[in-house]
Amino acid sequence: MPYVVRNAEGQIESLHRQASEAATEFLEDRHPDVVGFLGADEDGQSFSRLDADFVRVVEDLIDVLLAKNILNVTDLPAEAQTKLFARKGFREKVSLLSPVS
């Protein structure tokens, strides 16, 4: 992945999983043009940071829904419960070990 379609200026216009009549050029995921099109730096850090920030938002949203009794933990699939509790436990440990400023 991905096959790219470029515009007249040579900039990536779209990415595709499979080759097509329009998308014949294959580039590696980490190719600078692909990374630039996705809005990340060459290490993918910007996109990764956005993902991590969004995960935190989702986690906080789940906490609010639980606190308001709109959602029960048992409504979540077992895998989701495990991941949620693991993140909560990790965050609690980190906050206990972090110096207060």
Side-chain angles (χ1 to χ4, degrees):
M1 187 174 124
Y3 289 89
V4 301
V5 174
R6 293 184 184 267
N7 62 20
E9 290 79 37
Q11 298 168 324
I12 293 179
E13 198 170 83
S14 61
L15 301 176
H16 304 266
R17 291 186 180 142
Q18 298 176 356
S20 69
E21 204 171 298
T24 58
E25 180 185 0
F26 177 82
L27 295 176
E28 295 295 325
D29 292 344
R30 296 280 182 200
H31 188 282
D33 290 352
V34 172
V35 172
F37 179 78
L38 293 173
D41 59 21
E42 287 197 27
D43 294 330
Q45 292 299 313
S46 298
F47 203 66
S48 295
R49 184 74 237 150
L50 288 172
D51 279 352
D53 291 345
F54 188 70
V55 167
R56 179 63 191 263
V57 169
V58 171
E59 189 178 354
D60 290 345
L61 175 62
I62 291 170
D63 287 343
V64 169
L65 294 173
L66 291 171
K68 293 185 176 219
N69 292 318
I70 296 170
L71 177 74
N72 294 313
V73 173
T74 55
D75 294 336
L76 300 171
E79 240 181 69
Q81 290 178 39
T82 301
K83 289 176 183 178
L84 185 63
F85 291 136
R87 279 191 54 86
K88 284 186 168 303
F90 182 78
R91 276 182 39 196
E92 287 173 7
K93 282 184 207 173
V94 168
S95 67
L96 290 174
L97 297 174
S98 297
V100 178
S101 46

